């Protein structure tokens, strides 16, 4: 029988298990630029499963069209998360199928042995192909993350020391992009003295708030958490 490790050794072992590269997986609503769900961790199937479970919970049963890159776990976990039983009137367990509105179109980049892009394939994995499957909004969102978070900068010395701190920093960054920073693609033209546009944040586009928040408002607003 192995004796339990001291607290210090257990803490070091826990930090060692969290070391290594971490990947971010996010679901972006294209119209509002709102990140519906996100998670970070090793690039394993469990990462995609967490994001799809969050999206299904927050979508309230809506059938959604999806665009993604060619990562293999995406179709598998979308099928697991969104499939529903179809009643046929026969005995036995009903078959599980995707609702009619659920679609997945994947954009797959094919590269040569040196990593140079050769061609881009668009594949309708589930349902009819989506009209604009390009992942421009997601790539732009990733660029904003790299610009704001030093740990994501290429060839950086500002590595995240612990996974807990990194996840908290990412959560704060996503909140700030939703509520504190207006998005140019969401602004609306107005006829008013002194201005041409009304600036809007992703949270305003979804009618979650009616104004651009400030850091003071974020830090002083009470939040009631119910179990």
């Amino acid at each position: 029988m192995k004796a339990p490790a001291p607290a210090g050794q257990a803490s070091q072992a826990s930090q060692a298990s969290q070391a290594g590269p971490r990947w971010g997986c996010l679901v972006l609503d294209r119209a509002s630029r709102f990140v519906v769900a996100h998670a970070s961790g090793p690039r394993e199937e469990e990462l995609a499963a967490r994001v799809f479970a969050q999206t299904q919970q927050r979508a309230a049963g809506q059938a959604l069209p999806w665009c993604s890159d060619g990562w293999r776990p995406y179709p598998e976990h979308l099928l697991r998360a969104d499939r529903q039983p179809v009643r046929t009137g026969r005995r036995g367990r009903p078959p599980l199928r995707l609702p009619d509105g659920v679609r997945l179109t994947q954009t797959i980049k094919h590269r040569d042995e040196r990593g140079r892009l050769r061609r881009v394939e668009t594949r309708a994995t589930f349902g009819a192909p989506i009209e604009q499957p390009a992942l421009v909004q997601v790539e732009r969102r990733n660029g904003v993350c790299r610009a704001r978070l030093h740990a994501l900068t290429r060839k950086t010395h500002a590595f995240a020391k612990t996974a807990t701190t990194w996840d908290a920093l990412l959560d704060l960054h996503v909140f700030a992009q939703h509520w504190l920073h207006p998005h140019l693609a969401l602004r609306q033209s107005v006829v008013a003295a002194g201005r041409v546009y009304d600036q809007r944040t992703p949270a305003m586009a979804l009618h979650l708030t009616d104004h651009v928040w400030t850091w003071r408002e974020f830090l002083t607003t009470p939040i009631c958490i119910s179990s």
Side-chain angles (χ1 to χ4, degrees):
M1 179 179 294
K2 185 177 181 180
Q9 296 181 10
S11 177
Q12 293 177 2
S14 176
Q15 293 181 6
S17 64
Q18 297 178 350
R22 291 179 68 84
W23 292 77
C25 184
L26 61 86
V27 177
L28 182 71
D29 177 45
R30 179 177 292 180
S32 64
R33 271 56 171 191
F34 196 93
V35 177
V36 180
H38 70 279
S40 63
R43 187 167 180 152
E44 300 173 353
E45 294 189 9
E46 188 269 340
L47 184 63
R50 286 163 51 194
V51 171
F52 278 113
Q54 291 179 21
T55 306
Q56 183 189 33
Q57 180 182 7
R58 295 167 183 173
Q62 298 182 56
L64 303 175
W66 294 78
C67 299
S68 74
D69 57 20
W71 194 30
R72 181 181 55 82
Y74 287 148
E76 298 178 5
H77 289 283
L78 175 61
L79 188 63
R80 295 178 186 176
D82 286 3
R83 61 184 180 178
Q84 299 177 0
V86 178
R87 305 297 176 180
T88 60
R90 301 178 181 178
R91 297 180 59 183
R93 182 176 298 176
L96 299 176
R97 298 174 183 171
L98 286 175
D100 294 336
V102 177
R103 297 181 293 164
L104 172 61
T105 301
Q106 293 185 283
T107 301
I108 304 171
K109 296 180 179 180
H110 297 275
R111 302 181 182 274
D112 58 15
E113 62 277 2
R114 296 185 177 182
R116 293 178 296 188
L117 183 64
R118 298 180 57 187
R119 64 186 179 92
V120 178
E121 176 188 359
T122 302
R123 178 187 304 170
T125 306
F126 296 133
I130 296 176
E131 295 179 358
Q132 297 180 352
L135 304 176
V136 178
Q137 289 83 4
V138 175
E139 296 295 341
R140 180 68 183 119
R141 188 68 181 77
N142 293 339
V144 173
C145 286
R146 287 192 294 268
R148 299 291 176 86
L149 303 178
H150 296 298
L152 284 178
T153 305
R154 293 186 175 92
K155 298 181 180 180
T156 182
H157 294 288
F159 299 106
K161 302 302 184 294
T162 64
T164 302
T165 303
W166 165 248
D167 290 342
L169 182 62
L170 182 61
D171 291 341
L172 182 62
H173 167 72
V174 171
F175 178 89
Q177 293 298 311
H178 286 170
W179 299 78
L180 278 69
H181 298 291
H183 199 290
L184 288 178
L186 302 177
R187 62 183 184 177
Q188 293 181 332
S189 58
V190 296
V191 179
R195 70 177 192 274
V196 181
Y197 296 100
D198 268 344
Q199 302 294 337
R200 296 195 306 163
T201 61
M204 294 173 64
L206 291 179
H207 305 289
L208 300 177
T209 183
D210 59 357
H211 63 282
V212 180
W213 279 37
T214 63
W215 282 110
R216 178 181 294 275
E217 188 174 6
F218 163 66
L219 295 172
T220 58
T221 299
I223 299 177
C224 298
I225 301 177
S226 58
S227 58

